[in-house]
Each structure stands twice: as C-alpha cells, then as structure tokens.
Amino acid sequence: MKIRGDDPVAMKNFILCVQNRVNELKALSGDGEAKINGKRMEFMLETICDIKNNKKKPKEDTVQHTRIKKWLQKLRVEDILIRGLKWSKLLDPDKKGQWWLPGDIASATDNVEEVANSIDKEALEAQKMLDLAAAQRMNTDARRAIFCVIMSGEDYIDAFEKLLRLDLPGKQDRDIMRVLVECCLQEKVFNKYYTVLAAKLCEHEKNHKFTLQYCLWDHFKELDSMPLLRSMHLAKFMAEMVASFTLSLAVLKTVEWSDPQMLSPKKIMHFRMLFEAIFEYPDKVIWNMFTRIAVTPELETLRQGMEFFIKEYVVKTNKKVNDKFKLAKKALNNTEGVLM
C-alpha cells in the first residue's frame, strides 16, 4: 500500500507483471499449476489483488517514522553524504560495540585506556572550541553551537548538514549567517570556505539570503571604525557572494554614493577593494554581475552612483581595471538583460 501511495505507476506495472506471470503458469500443465496452487502463492496473489482493488488499508507511519521522513525532506536527502562509515567497517565480521559511529574508536580497539584517552582528547578539543567561541563574543547557546559547527566542520557540506541538524527554534536560525560572517572577518587570511558555505545555505533556504543582506548592511554602518584587515575580508566576501550570484550588486543600494560627506576615507577604501576584487573575475562573470542590476528601473540611482564611484576612486588609482570598467559600464546599460 505504501508503494501504491508513493508511486502508483510502479505499483501498477508490478501488478501487471505478476498477473502476466500467473497467466503464463496457468497456461502450463503440471508444474505450472502446482506452483500457483500453493498456500503461500495463493495468499500472495490474494494480497496483491486486494492492493489492486484498494481493499487493503495502509498502516499509518509511527510518530518517529514521520519525524524522520520530515527531517530527511527538509535536509534534501539527495545532498546527504554518509560520513565515517566505510565498507570495510560494515563488512568486518569482528566488529564490536557501536561500530556504526564515525571514527575507528569503537571497532578498532579493545583497549579501554586508549578509548578513554581518545574521549578525553575529544572533550579537550570541544572545550577549546567553546573557549574560542567565548573569545569571539558568541554570547548565547545558539551562537556558540553555530560557531562550533562552522569551525569544526570537515568541509562545507559537513558543516551545512550539521547546521541543519541544529534545528534552531524561532528566529535563532538568523544567527547562522551572522556568526558565519563574523568567523570570516576574524580570520587572519581570507578563507573561501565561508563563502561556499554561505552560498550553500542561501541556496537551501532563501531566508538566509535576506539575513545575509541585513548583516552586510549592518557591517556597512561600522566601516568607519572597522580595522583594515576586517574590511578587506568583508570586501572579498561580498565579491564572492556576488560573483556566485548568491547576492546581486543591489545589496549596495543602501550606500550613499553621491554624498561626499557620507563617503569617508575608510568607506572609499572598502568599496574600492570590493570593486577591485570584482574586476579580478573573468569578463563573462563581470558582465553578468552588472547586467543583473541593469534591468531594474528602481536601481537607476545605484547604477549611476556605482559608475561615478568606480570612475573616480577605482580607475584613477588603478589603470589596470580600465578595460574591466568599460565592460561593466556597458553591462549597466544592458537594459535587455542579455547574459553572456
């Protein structure tokens, strides 16, 4: 009945195959009739007939089963990677204990002292991570949990899956993007891991995209007091987000491009670094980035302001980007929205 509900076509094909096979056996004499006259076969055929005629009532899923199904649907099971469980461990006839857990502790050792040392080591690492979270001003349980997941992920997929499993209540999931950006800005060297993870989160849930926009706008307000390294990381982060088409250049609409008093030296430096980072991408990417904001009439002020800023503060100080600027300028006038 479950197959009938989930995939009626497959169930129909299955029943037709069974019926055809039964008819073939009936056409045979002797052994064929004996095969279909057995009690087991008779019961099976009656059950299939009942399913076909919708006489069998499906059993309702248990609460736990339903919860798991919803969780898998939310998690998008096609993107899940099973980690830590290897074929060698699965097929090992001598496996003991909780062999399904990640790592080789449970199955590879019988030494209690060695297991205890491994647990102590993991506990110490967890405590170090919590101390680091406290040092980074992660002042709530949710933020500390998010921080630990992001910083301890094997890769962006691992971190992404673990962040989804946090199942943060209410609006606490908004902290994910804020913590992620903060982690990125705190690094000594810019790390694209954060941009790839951010893009994955935005792809999965559009609310993360809105949170990221508001987060960036909040950081724009702090540019005058922001250290240079932090400002540079923010510029590179934004360039990556725009180049991956996770965000568009419309995120810059809150910037007062035409007001010289609002464009302080630190803000000029920040946005100059942003556009220089953008102009490092291939022509096709640059064209598509600027074309995305060319088709929206409401962004005319932004287009004019960006064009003025790039010409005045980027091209004049860096002649190498002149050709890229010409391409961007042409893309800003691409009102038909034709992409490369």
Side-chain angles (χ1 to χ4, degrees):
M1 290 304 292
K2 191 64 181 169
I3 299 175
R4 179 190 175 104
D6 291 344
D7 194 343
V9 176
M11 190 63 202
K12 179 181 177 182
N13 292 335
F14 168 72
I15 292 173
L16 288 175
C17 288
V18 172
Q19 288 177 335
N20 291 336
R21 182 57 180 161
V22 170
N23 292 333
E24 289 176 6
L25 291 173
K26 284 182 178 179
L28 298 174
S29 58
D31 293 342
E33 291 185 7
K35 286 182 180 179
I36 62 174
N37 287 333
K39 288 189 176 181
R40 288 185 180 181
M41 181 62 74
E42 186 178 344
F43 172 77
M44 181 65 71
L45 293 175
E46 286 178 359
T47 302
I48 292 174
C49 185
D50 288 342
I51 292 173
K52 176 188 174 185
N53 297 325
N54 204 22
K55 291 182 179 179
K56 282 277 185 182
K57 292 185 178 180
K59 294 182 179 179
E60 293 185 1
D61 291 336
T62 62
V63 175
Q64 185 179 10
H65 188 196
T66 303
R67 191 183 302 122
I68 291 172
K69 280 178 63 179
K70 288 182 178 179
W71 176 73
L72 288 173
Q73 288 170 355
K74 181 180 178 182
L75 206 58
R76 295 185 179 180
V77 292
E78 65 271 15
D79 293 334
I80 294 176
L81 296 178
I82 297 176
R83 299 176 178 277
L85 186 59
K86 301 177 181 178
W87 278 111
S88 58
K89 183 185 290 187
L90 188 64
L91 300 176
D92 182 12
D94 299 322
K95 53 182 176 284
K96 297 178 182 179
Q98 294 177 312
W99 54 268
W100 58 86
L101 295 178
D104 296 325
I105 293 176
S107 62
T109 180
D110 294 322
N111 191 331
V112 176
E113 185 176 345
E114 187 176 342
V115 173
N117 290 335
S118 299
I119 293 173
D120 289 342
K121 184 179 178 181
E122 290 178 3
L124 183 61
E125 290 177 356
Q127 186 58 49
K128 286 182 179 179
M129 192 64 68
L130 288 173
D131 293 341
L132 184 59
Q136 299 295 335
R137 295 177 298 175
M138 302 298 160
N139 50 10
T140 66
D141 290 340
R143 289 197 169 201
R144 281 190 287 270
I146 294 166
F147 177 85
C148 291
V149 168
I150 292 174
M151 298 304 292
S152 63
E154 295 178 16
D155 53 31
Y156 82 97
I157 290 291
D158 181 52
F160 169 72
E161 292 173 1
K162 288 178 179 176
L163 285 171
L164 292 185
R165 287 199 290 270
L166 286 178
D167 196 22
L168 298 170
K171 298 179 180 179
Q172 288 185 350
D173 60 341
R174 295 179 181 178
D175 285 335
I176 292 177
M177 275 300 170
R178 295 190 175 276
V179 172
L180 188 151
V181 173
E182 185 62 30
C183 290
C184 178
L185 302 189
Q186 291 284 355
E187 292 281 0
K188 293 182 179 179
V189 179
F190 180 72
N191 191 341
K192 288 188 178 182
Y193 161 75
Y194 300 105
T195 61
V196 178
L197 177 56
K200 182 69 175 175
L201 287 164
C202 291
E203 178 188 354
H204 174 73
E205 176 59 64
K206 66 178 182 180
N207 287 335
H208 288 307
K209 182 177 177 179
F210 297 135
T211 303
L212 179 57
Q213 287 181 341
Y214 283 108
C215 178
L216 294 176
W217 290 341
D218 289 341
H219 282 296
F220 289 168
K221 299 173 185 177
E222 302 171 358
L223 286 175
D224 287 331
S225 59
M226 189 178 290
L228 180 60
L229 183 62
R230 186 179 173 89
S231 177
M232 182 174 66
H233 286 351
L234 180 62
K236 289 183 177 180
F237 180 89
M238 283 187 56
E240 287 283 338
M241 289 291 96
V242 175
S244 66
F245 304 107
T246 302
L247 297 177
S248 79
L249 287 169
V251 73
L252 299 174
K253 63 186 178 183
T254 59
V255 181
E256 296 289 343
W257 301 103
S258 58
D259 189 349
Q261 294 181 347
M262 296 298 293
L263 284 176
S264 62
K266 282 200 169 185
K267 286 182 179 177
I268 292 173
M269 175 64 72
H270 171 79
F271 291 114
R272 197 179 84 188
M273 290 189 294
L274 169 63
F275 287 114
E276 285 178 348
I278 286 174
F279 287 150
E280 290 179 2
Y281 288 93
D283 290 354
K284 179 181 178 180
V285 178
I286 294 173
W287 174 270
N288 292 341
M289 276 193 280
F290 284 89
T291 294
R292 288 184 73 189
I293 62 169
V295 296
T296 308
E298 293 81 4
L299 297 177
E300 179 63 27
T301 304
L302 171 62
R303 291 192 290 270
Q304 292 177 353
M306 284 174 50
E307 187 176 332
F308 168 77
F309 181 89
I310 296 171
K311 181 180 179 181
E312 192 68 23
Y313 297 106
V314 182
V315 177
K316 282 187 177 181
T317 57
N318 187 356
K319 300 295 183 182
K320 294 180 181 179
V321 301
N322 190 42
D323 291 339
K324 300 283 188 177
F325 170 58
K326 290 180 180 178
L327 179 67
K329 187 177 178 181
K330 188 176 180 181
L332 287 174
N333 295 317
N334 179 22
T335 54
E336 295 180 358
V338 179
L339 301 176
M340 279 191 180

